[in-house]
Amino acid sequence: VFLFIGDGMSYPQIQSTADYLGALADEDYWQAQPSLDDNGGAVLDGPEYLNFMNFEGVGSAVTYDSNSFAPDSASTATSLSTGHKTYSGSINVDETGTVEYETISEKLHSQKGYSIGVITSVNLNHATPAAFYAHQASRNDYYDIGLELVDSGFEYFAGGGLLDPDGAEGDQENLYDLAEQAGYNVVTTQAEAEKVTAGPVVIIDEHLADSDAMAYELDRTDDMWALSDYVAKGIEVLSQDEDGFFMMCEGGKIDWACHANDAASTIHDTQALADAVQVAIDFAAEHPEETLILVTGDHETGGLTIGFAG
């Protein structure tokens, strides 16, 4: 099972990316004398559909949470991973913060023996990835979330660096050290990541950008792993399990780009998510009867149509 989540991604981000790729692919549009319509304008052939836009099943959902029509990544990821709505800022707990919800990844791990992978282009203890292994009343309790990552026993983690690895005050035992003590292979260079063949492993992207997240796709160079590379490595690690595997992959910087009103980065990171989906599609072609691929957003960010006064 592959679950791809474009953080902050909905129809505006998907359609603008498809329109952009369609314009690039339209040779007539870029010729010195393009074909013209009756009004003298260049004629576009149309969008270049992203791979997941033509999946067999399609649907939409409203994303309100228990206290907001404009929810955040913690409550919406809780809905995706557990089926329960909760307050904004809460991860896999009820509105009182006292009842914990078991996640789909935890159930598959304990009840079905699946291997579990969690991939993100932002921090591994950020809200969306955390919602597949942690239970916290506040998404900002990064150290406690990191402790739950270590205790999860999941086989494959890959993405941006952990926030507050030494605690909020810098006086607690390092999370990476604790992960190694728990049996994880903690990998922090791309060369080491390329050699990984089995879990449990925590791969931290070598080329970290703002707040220890991966670089925006627009800034990524050819020698740097893309989100799709982490999915490919995850398949290599997790597919060894004959019982099956569950992989959640988040395109987290779509949301960050939208918060920054950065249309170009939004488009390129949406395309990067589609590239990651393609790796799963290629895997499914070889395992058509036993593979499920889901692509969704947790909420929409920015609208791409409202002005910015800041």
Side-chain angles (χ1 to χ4, degrees):
V1 178
F2 295 90
L3 173 59
F4 291 91
I5 301 174
D7 199 308
M9 182 187 78
S10 187
Y11 297 114
Q13 292 76 17
I14 295 168
Q15 193 62 53
S16 60
T17 303
D19 290 345
Y20 166 75
L21 294 175
L24 290 184
D26 193 332
E27 293 182 4
D28 287 341
Y29 188 76
W30 298 107
Q31 289 174 356
Q33 294 182 329
S35 59
L36 303 177
D37 62 19
D38 293 339
N39 297 316
V43 179
L44 278 169
D45 288 338
E48 188 88 357
Y49 290 104
L50 302 182
N51 46 26
F52 57 83
M53 293 175 74
N54 291 316
F55 275 9
E56 295 175 11
V58 64
S60 61
V62 289
T63 58
Y64 68 91
D65 64 17
S66 295
N67 65 322
S68 179
F69 285 107
D72 80 325
S73 294
S75 61
T76 53
T78 294
S79 294
L80 288 168
S81 66
T82 73
H84 294 280
K85 291 189 180 292
T86 189
Y87 283 152
S88 295
S90 297
I91 297 175
N92 297 330
V93 295
D94 72 348
E95 291 82 356
T96 69
T98 60
V99 177
E100 296 185 355
Y101 299 130
E102 190 176 17
T103 70
I104 185 65
S105 44
E106 291 172 316
K107 288 182 178 183
L108 289 171
H109 199 244
S110 64
Q111 298 176 23
K112 305 288 276 185
Y114 277 33
S115 291
I116 307 295
V118 175
I119 304 169
T120 179
S121 58
V122 298
N123 312 90
L124 278 169
N125 52 353
H126 228 256
T128 304
F132 289 84
Y133 61 80
H135 314 79
Q136 296 291 329
S138 173
R139 60 178 287 175
N140 297 322
D141 291 336
Y142 297 117
Y143 187 79
D144 291 336
I145 291 170
L147 291 175
E148 291 199 74
L149 181 153
V150 172
D151 291 338
S152 70
F154 292 173
E155 286 74 14
Y156 182 79
F157 289 98
L162 294 169
L163 294 166
D164 294 344
D166 300 303
E169 304 299 325
D171 57 355
Q172 294 179 272
E173 191 167 1
N174 183 270
L175 289 171
Y176 297 118
D177 293 340
L178 290 172
E180 289 183 334
Q181 293 171 26
Y184 281 96
N185 177 20
V186 178
V187 172
T188 57
T189 70
Q190 201 164 288
E192 290 179 290
E194 290 170 356
K195 297 177 182 177
V196 168
T197 58
V201 62
V202 177
I203 300 177
I204 303 299
D205 185 88
E206 179 180 355
H207 307 281
L208 298 173
D210 47 345
S211 301
D212 293 333
M214 291 167 58
Y216 282 104
E217 179 66 12
L218 193 60
D219 300 322
R220 188 180 63 81
T221 56
D222 290 340
D223 61 331
M224 299 162 62
W225 269 19
L227 194 63
S228 57
D229 293 305
Y230 288 100
V231 171
K233 180 57 69 173
I235 291 174
E236 180 183 350
V237 170
L238 299 172
S239 62
Q240 300 175 37
D241 190 337
E242 294 183 357
D243 290 326
F245 67 86
F246 172 91
M247 179 190 296
M248 191 289 294
C249 175
E250 180 202 20
K253 299 196 80 169
I254 300 169
D255 175 78
W256 290 24
C258 288
H259 277 294
N261 290 269
D262 184 342
S265 291
T266 300
I267 287 170
H268 283 274
D269 270 75
T270 301
Q271 185 179 357
L273 181 68
D275 291 341
V277 173
Q278 188 61 47
V279 178
I281 292 173
D282 294 342
F283 176 86
E286 299 178 1
H287 307 273
E289 300 301 321
E290 54 191 19
T291 306
L292 172 66
I293 304 173
L294 301 155
V295 182
T296 189
D298 53 355
H299 56 77
E300 198 276 337
T301 298
L304 300 184
T305 55
I306 56 178
F308 181 53

